[in-house]
Amino acid sequence: MGDSITQDYASSPLDNDASSGKGNGYNSLEIASIASASAIVSVLIALVILFLYTRKLHPRSKIMSTTTKREVTMFIDIGVSITFDNVVTATRNFNASNLIGNGGFGATYKAVIISQEDQNVVVAIKRLSIGRFQGVQQFHAEIKTLGRLKHQNLVTLIGYHASETEMFLVYNYLPGGNLERFIRERSTRAVEWRVLHKIALDVARALAYLHDQCVPRVLHRDVKPSNILLDDDHNAYLSDFGLARLLGASETHATTGVAGTFGYVAPEYAMTCRVSDKADVYSYGVVLLELLSDKKVLDPSFVRYGNGFNIVQWGDMLLRQGRAKEFFTAGLWDVGPHDDLVEVLHLAVICTLDSLSTRPTMKQVVQRLKQLQPQLQTRVV
């Protein structure tokens, strides 16, 4: 009986439609077909509308993308608006006539930015070598960390621009040039021990800050005279800090000009590519030796001592032989306290020892230099 009821229930609609013979109704199959066709048409119309809408917006999106790419991110307010366009204008499209420095990370240009109130602000633009740095997104993240670093002896990072086709950093401009030029031109002026000591202490303080007070700590990896800038009062400022960590993963740190410059690179770093704060200490020691003497790190006069002889070996040799007087730049021995000069030479040599455990920390270097602080009036000996 149950089967009969089921059969009647299942067949009754079809029987009714078939027996009615009426043409003014639709069976379920026809209704389903119409519904499916309507849905397909609706989807097609929606896709066409979406396509046309997207195509219409595409030019606008391209403009917005270009604007974003040309954006300059600022860390501090210097009283004028710095944009991609006025940087290009102020450097004359990075013209050689505005060039004030050239290093392993890129070239630096002087740029005079003019505000709407006709007030001029001078900044330094470091144009980074495209292709040597990691991806743009990673660069954005890392450079913002560097923008938070503040110290009286660090060059101020004002802002930056980073895109696939252009990268540059905006720094405060320092009119005194770099230490490399200072050393090269100092024969034209009187030697002052007070000035040399101040430069040495300023740089040591900057490195001690990077090593001991930054979290995570920052290793410079390219400490050399051209990366130390001066103002008109011979205050020293360390530049290019933190840039070595932004290099692309494909770069090898053993090569010169990548993360370190031949002659200033610690021997263990050059051989193993393993960097530590003691590698910066070594580089600082080499800079200090150059600051005290008339010699370059790989001076031509060292040829007589054999291949590979450098300023580190020369300073150590003279100190051991009791001939320290011969090391110092012309006139310095006559105006500086002899004991203090020898002590600073000894400090520089210790900084460049092969043994990492024997090299001092930069904090210890600062403490020692402060103990050797010259008197305001330098006495002629």
Side-chain angles (χ1 to χ4, degrees):
M1 183 175 179
D3 293 339
S4 176
I5 294 174
T6 304
Q7 186 176 359
D8 291 343
Y9 176 77
S11 63
S12 60
L14 287 174
D15 293 343
N16 291 337
D17 286 340
S19 61
S20 63
K22 296 179 180 178
N24 59 351
Y26 295 97
N27 60 37
S28 59
L29 183 60
E30 291 173 327
I31 293 173
S33 298
I34 293 171
S36 299
S38 299
I40 292 171
V41 171
S42 298
V43 170
L44 289 174
I45 292 173
L47 288 173
V48 170
I49 293 173
L50 181 61
F51 172 75
L52 294 174
Y53 183 73
T54 304
R55 189 174 181 180
K56 182 180 178 181
L57 286 183
H58 183 70
R60 188 180 301 176
S61 299
K62 187 175 181 180
I63 293 172
M64 291 174 64
S65 176
T66 304
T67 303
T68 302
K69 287 181 179 180
R70 294 165 70 93
E71 178 179 80
V72 177
T73 301
M74 301 295 290
F75 296 123
I76 60 174
D77 182 7
I78 59 171
V80 297
S81 174
I82 294 185
T83 65
F84 183 93
D85 290 334
N86 65 18
V87 164
V88 172
T89 300
T91 59
R92 300 177 187 178
N93 198 20
F94 302 104
N95 191 282
S97 61
N98 286 62
L99 186 69
I100 56 175
N102 214 334
F105 299 112
T108 304
Y109 301 82
K110 180 180 179 180
V112 180
I113 308 295
I114 303 174
S115 70
Q116 293 180 345
E117 295 78 20
D118 291 331
Q119 294 178 340
N120 296 347
V121 175
V122 185
V123 295
I125 306 296
K126 177 174 280 293
R127 191 185 194 189
L128 302 176
S129 303
I130 289 290
R132 294 200 56 214
F133 293 88
Q134 53 193 320
V136 174
Q137 293 304 318
Q138 184 67 18
F139 186 91
H140 279 292
E142 293 284 357
I143 206 69
K144 286 175 182 176
T145 299
L146 298 181
R148 291 194 291 267
L149 304 183
K150 308 294 180 187
H151 188 270
Q152 61 182 351
N153 296 117
L154 288 179
V155 173
T156 303
L157 180 56
I158 296 171
Y160 76 98
H161 164 80
S163 67
E164 297 292 345
T165 56
E166 188 70 67
M167 289 183 179
F168 60 75
L169 307 178
V170 184
Y171 288 113
N172 63 316
Y173 174 75
L174 293 162
N178 61 38
L179 187 59
E180 183 178 46
R181 191 181 82 178
F182 173 87
I183 293 172
R184 184 173 65 245
E185 298 176 352
R186 66 178 165 192
S187 59
T188 61
R189 55 184 176 273
V191 175
E192 292 186 61
W193 166 233
R194 178 187 60 82
V195 171
L196 301 186
H197 178 276
K198 176 173 177 49
I199 292 172
L201 182 55
D202 285 350
V203 179
R205 281 173 168 156
L207 284 170
Y209 167 77
L210 294 176
H211 291 177
D212 299 325
Q213 298 180 45
C214 293
V215 181
R217 69 177 177 174
V218 176
L219 305 179
H220 193 288
R221 293 199 261 181
D222 198 18
V223 179
K224 58 184 178 180
S226 61
N227 280 338
I228 297 165
L229 306 182
L230 306 172
D231 63 17
D232 287 331
D233 296 321
H234 297 117
N235 295 305
Y237 304 84
L238 188 62
S239 70
D240 282 9
F241 52 90
L243 291 187
R245 65 187 290 177
L246 297 176
L247 291 174
S250 62
E251 299 278 17
T252 165
H253 301 317
T255 58
T256 59
V258 173
T261 302
F262 190 64
Y264 300 92
V265 177
E268 76 280 356
Y269 183 23
M271 290 186 292
T272 68
C273 298
R274 294 180 181 176
V275 68
S276 70
D277 57 343
K278 293 300 181 74
D280 279 352
V281 174
Y282 180 94
S283 302
Y284 172 83
V286 177
V287 171
L288 188 53
L289 290 170
E290 285 191 297
L291 184 63
L292 296 173
S293 73
D294 280 328
K295 305 292 186 184
K296 295 180 179 179
V297 58
L298 298 170
D299 202 83
S301 65
F302 295 151
V303 173
R304 57 178 173 160
Y305 296 110
N307 253 347
F309 197 87
N310 59 28
I311 197 170
V312 171
Q313 295 163 301
W314 186 62
D316 181 59
M317 180 187 74
L318 294 182
L319 199 57
R320 291 178 183 276
Q321 294 177 0
R323 299 161 54 199
K325 178 182 177 180
E326 300 175 32
F327 182 86
F328 299 99
T329 184
L332 182 55
W333 188 258
D334 297 327
V335 299
H338 295 173
D339 290 344
D340 289 358
L341 289 176
V342 174
E343 278 298 312
V344 175
L345 173 57
H346 185 257
L347 177 63
V349 169
I350 291 177
C351 285
T352 55
L353 291 176
D354 286 341
S355 170
L356 273 67
S357 60
T358 310
R359 290 178 206 162
T361 64
M362 288 311 306
K363 185 176 181 180
Q364 290 171 327
V365 171
V366 169
Q367 291 171 344
R368 187 64 185 126
L369 287 174
K370 288 172 72 175
Q371 292 170 353
L372 299 171
Q373 190 83 36
Q375 301 297 318
L376 292 178
Q377 296 294 328
T378 304
R379 181 173 59 87
V380 177
V381 180

